[in-house]
């Protein structure tokens, strides 16, 4: 779905942001349901522990990159998010090389939830404009002047904090003997 999302967002056609919003929400919901079903039926595998977080990262990174291209999100935000994701993926690969599997943790899931909320917010704003829904200046001021920076701040803070916490918890992989 990530490839379709990117194509929908990049090709100039009417309602591309609405399509992107629907695709992103559908991908996020199906990802959540997949995990919930796996946990409820005890179908958790090492492959799933490694690939599910990786697929989440690809989806959110692609969405943030598209939002940077639209000038909705500052590039430093996307770079911070993607850098954290590469760092954690590298840590997981390091663990895998020694036969360990590092699953996603609750803090990382909260981080992902806030990233999704932030992406949906920006796609929703774009989608509303496609449908000709013009927001009044006071509403626009609140959304763009307060809510937008707040969501980005929470997302970046959780991204950094969860990455540092994950590295600290697994520091023995980085510096054996600590």
């Amino acid at each position: 779905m990530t490839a379709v999302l990117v194509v929908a967002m990049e090709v100039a056609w009417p309602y591309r942001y609405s399509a992107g919003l629907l695709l992103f929400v559908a991908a996020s919901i199906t990802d959540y349901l997949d995990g919930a079903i796996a946990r409820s039926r005890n179908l958790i595998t090492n492959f799933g522990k490694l690939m599910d977080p990786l697929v989440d990262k690809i989806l959110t990174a692609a969405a943030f990159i598209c939002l940077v291209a639209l000038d909705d999100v500052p590039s430093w935000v996307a770079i911070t998010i993607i850098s954290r994701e590469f760092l954690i993926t590298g840590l997981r690969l390091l663990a895998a090389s020694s036969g360990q599997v590092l699953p996603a943790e609750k803090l990382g899931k909260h981080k992902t939830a806030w990233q999704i909320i932030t992406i949906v917010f920006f796609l929703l704003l774009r989608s509303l404009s496609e449908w000709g829904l013009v927001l009044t200046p006071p509403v626009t001021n609140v959304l763009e002047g307060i809510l937008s920076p707040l969501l980005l701040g929470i997302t970046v803070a959780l991204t950094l904090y969860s990455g540092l916490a994950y590295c600290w918890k697994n520091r023995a992989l980085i510096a054996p003997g600590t």
Side-chain angles (χ1 to χ4, degrees), residues 31-110:
D31 175 60
Y32 171 78
L33 291 174
D34 172 62
I37 291 168
R39 286 186 297 280
S40 72
R41 297 185 180 174
N42 202 25
L43 299 172
I44 298 169
T45 64
N46 285 342
F47 178 79
K49 287 179 189 177
L50 185 65
M51 293 308 291
D52 184 63
L54 185 60
V55 171
D56 291 346
K57 293 171 188 199
I58 293 169
L59 175 66
T60 56
F64 275 115
I65 290 168
C66 288
L67 291 170
V68 166
L70 296 168
D71 289 327
D72 289 345
V73 172
S75 58
W76 69 266
V77 169
I79 291 167
T80 300
I81 290 167
I82 293 168
S83 296
R84 183 263 187 211
E85 305 308 352
F86 275 123
L87 176 68
I88 299 305
T89 299
L91 188 59
R92 285 193 174 120
L93 291 172
L94 185 61
S97 71
S98 63
Q100 299 175 44
V101 175
L102 301 180
E105 298 203 352
K106 284 190 180 191
L107 188 56
K109 291 181 185 290
H110 289 294

Side-chain angles (χ1 to χ4, degrees), residues 121-132:
F121 169 79
F122 284 104
L123 290 177
L124 183 61
L125 289 180
R126 288 248 171 208
S127 180
L128 289 174
S129 68
E130 282 180 331
W131 291 92

